[in-house]
């Protein structure tokens, strides 16, 4: 314990999370929805992960990048949904400070990883569609591994610095202004100057937006122009359809994520909307990503179907 003038800080004490305010008659349906969502996320993402990892013919640049998406989605969903289901089922909103910081850290790892991985995948598609003859020369496995290492190292360093700045500060409150822990809600518990934290948080948010949105906008515009110039109508429509679905997923992630971030900076923002958007960011992308990026890929889909026919549903 650390005693100061008007308050005592206990770093082993529990924090209180904001309630979802679910009516009593809807507790079990909400729990079942959360459990089913988590099971679907686990099943779909593990299916993609194991299929790419175990099948040697998928050890190519596009699939090596793709495998990072289910890993990242599993990190985000696991950091959020088990805690949420516990809150709903036993009506307990308390969480220990270390558990809260751990949850917040991995949720931020997931958020940063989503933007960086989707950016790297957009770059891969740009090279494949706009420079098809040079694709194998540019996107070698060694080059892809460098991109993957750079993505994860960048994500980890940014979040380690973010939470190192947070943990150095004393706190004098215990009420988390959200249904799960994140850096802004933890920062509100602090009772000293948070200027450095706010500047750094704003810096990495702007940096990630400029890099991810800028890169994805540029690459998909180039892909669109290349497709419009193409004389092969089948290849053109397939490429445009693929890009459109990828952009929808990215836009959903951006809109829900940005609303959640901005809602902390505007006191008039609806708490209900903040809760819904925050939960949506951690539930829907991990469900949609394996379908759009994995199961819609013919080779992966056929391999998964073949596996289930042989191992799970043998004739």
């Amino acid at each position: 314990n650390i005693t100061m003038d008007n308050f005592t800080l206990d770093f082993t004490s529990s924090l209180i999370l904001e309630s979802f305010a679910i009516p009593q008659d809807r507790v079990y349906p909400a729990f079942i929805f959360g459990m089913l969502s988590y099971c679907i996320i686990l099943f779909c993402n593990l299916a993609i992960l194991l299929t790419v990892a175990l099948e040697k013919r998928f050890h190519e640049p596009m699939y090596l990048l793709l495998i990072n998406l289910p890993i990242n989605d599993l990190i985000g969903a696991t950091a959020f949904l088990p805690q949420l289901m516990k809150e709903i089922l036993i009506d307990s909103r308390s969480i220990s400070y270390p558990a809260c910081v751990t949850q917040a850290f991995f949720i931020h790892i997931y958020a940063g990883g989503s933007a960086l991985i989707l950016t790297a995948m957009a770059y891969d598609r740009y090279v494949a569609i706009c420079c098809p003859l040079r694709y194998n020369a540019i996107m070698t496995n060694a080059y892809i591994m460098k991109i993957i290492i750079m993505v994860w190292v960048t994500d980890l360093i940014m979040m380690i610095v973010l939470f190192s700045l947070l943990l150095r500060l004393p706190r004098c409150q215990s009420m988390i202004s959200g249904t799960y822990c994140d850096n802004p809600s933890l920062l509100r518990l602090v009772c000293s100057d948070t200027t450095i934290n706010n500047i750094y948080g704003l810096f990495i948010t702007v940096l990630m937006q400029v890099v991810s949105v800028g890169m994805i906008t540029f690459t998909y515009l180039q892909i669109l122009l290349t497709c419009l110039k193409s004389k092969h109508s089948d290849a053109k429509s397939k490429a445009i359809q693929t890009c459109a679905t990828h952009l929808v997923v990215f836009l959903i992630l951006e809109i829900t994520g940005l609303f959640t971030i901005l809602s902390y900076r505007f006191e008039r923002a609806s708490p209900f909307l903040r809760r819904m958007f925050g939960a949506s960011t951690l539930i829907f992308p991990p469900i949609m990503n394996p379908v759009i990026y994995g199961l819609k890929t013919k080779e992966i889909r056929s391999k998964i179907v073949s596996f289930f026919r042989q191992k799970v549903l043998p004739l």
Side-chain angles (χ1 to χ4, degrees), residues 244-255:
T245 53
H246 290 191
L247 280 173
V248 167
V249 173
F250 182 73
L251 286 173
I252 290 172
L253 182 69
E254 279 293 303
I255 291 168

Side-chain angles (χ1 to χ4, degrees), residues 115-136:
L116 292 172
I117 292 165
L118 290 175
T119 302
M121 290 174 68
Y123 173 67
D124 173 74
R125 292 300 83 206
Y126 161 73
V127 177
I129 295 172
C130 299
C131 313
L133 299 178
R134 298 176 57 205
Y135 180 79
N136 290 329

Side-chain angles (χ1 to χ4, degrees), residues 7 18 43-44 59 94 103 108 117 152 156 207 234 240 243-244 252:
F7 53 84
E18 195 175 77
F43 174 78
C44 292
H59 296 177
S94 67
Q103 182 187 50
H108 282 266
I117 292 165
W152 286 108
L156 280 169
L207 179 65
D234 290 342
I240 291 175
C243 291
I252 290 172

Side-chain angles (χ1 to χ4, degrees), residues 292-309:
I292 290 176
Y293 290 99
L295 299 178
K296 281 194 73 176
T297 304
K298 184 180 177 181
E299 293 83 0
I300 293 178
R301 185 174 66 250
S302 61
K303 182 64 183 178
I304 293 174
V305 170
S306 174
F307 173 82
F308 271 88
R309 283 177 177 173

Side-chain angles (χ1 to χ4, degrees), residues 36-285:
L36 286 175
S37 297
Y38 190 48
C39 289
I40 291 169
I41 289 168
L42 286 177
F43 174 78
C44 292
N45 284 286
L46 284 173
I48 302 296
L49 186 61
L50 292 173
T51 300
V52 175
L54 298 176
E55 187 66 29
K56 288 185 178 180
R57 67 191 175 99
F58 292 143
H59 296 177
E60 298 177 357
M62 181 180 76
Y63 299 111
L64 291 176
L65 277 176
L66 175 64
I67 203 173
N68 291 273
L69 207 54
I71 293 172
N72 189 62
D73 287 341
L74 288 170
I75 289 171
T78 303
F80 172 64
L81 281 168
Q83 172 65 30
L84 174 67
M85 288 186 287
K86 188 198 91 170
E87 288 174 42
I88 293 172
L89 188 62
I90 64 175
D91 194 25
S92 170
R93 294 182 289 127
S94 67
I95 183 171
S96 69
Y97 185 69
C100 190
V101 171
T102 302
Q103 182 187 50
F105 178 76
F106 283 109
I107 284 175
H108 282 266
I109 285 287
Y110 159 77
S114 295
L116 292 172
I117 292 165
L118 290 175
T119 302
M121 290 174 68
Y123 173 67
D124 173 74
R125 292 300 83 206
Y126 161 73
V127 177
I129 295 172
C130 299
C131 313
L133 299 178
R134 298 176 57 205
Y135 180 79
N136 290 329
I138 297 172
M139 304 299 284
T140 62
N141 283 2
Y143 183 57
I144 287 296
M145 289 309 298
K146 288 179 182 178
I147 291 176
I148 292 169
I149 291 169
M150 184 176 68
V151 163
W152 286 108
V153 168
T154 301
D155 194 19
L156 280 169
I157 289 174
M158 286 194 303
M159 300 315 159
I160 287 171
V161 172
L162 182 71
F163 283 89
S164 296
L165 289 172
L166 170 70
L167 292 173
R168 70 190 172 88
L169 300 173
R171 62 182 176 87
C172 54
Q173 297 184 57
S174 61
M175 187 69 189
I176 295 288
S177 59
T179 51
Y180 60 85
C181 300
D182 56 13
N183 180 64
S185 61
L186 283 167
L187 209 54
R188 288 189 171 189
L189 306 181
V190 170
C191 43
S192 61
D193 184 30
T194 60
T195 302
I196 294 174
N197 299 66
N198 291 331
I199 291 172
Y200 180 74
L202 186 61
F203 166 74
I204 61 172
T205 301
V206 172
L207 179 65
M208 293 286 284
Q209 290 302 306
V210 169
V211 171
S212 60
V213 175
M215 186 74 172
I216 288 174
T217 301
F218 171 78
T219 53
Y220 281 114
L221 279 176
Q222 293 299 313
I223 289 170
L224 182 61
L225 290 172
T226 301
C227 291
L228 292 175
K229 293 177 184 178
S230 174
K231 295 179 181 179
H232 304 285
S233 59
D234 290 342
K236 183 195 299 185
S237 61
K238 184 179 178 181
I240 291 175
Q241 184 182 6
T242 301
C243 291
T245 53
H246 290 191
L247 280 173
V248 167
V249 173
F250 182 73
L251 286 173
I252 290 172
L253 182 69
E254 279 293 303
I255 291 168
T256 54
L258 276 176
F259 181 89
T260 305
I261 292 169
L262 293 173
S263 66
Y264 283 105
R265 300 185 179 275
F266 297 99
E267 296 295 333
R268 294 183 180 180
S270 167
F272 174 78
L273 286 177
R274 187 176 69 231
R275 291 195 296 267
M276 291 302 103
F277 273 91
S280 298
T281 307
L282 292 157
I283 294 175
F284 293 118

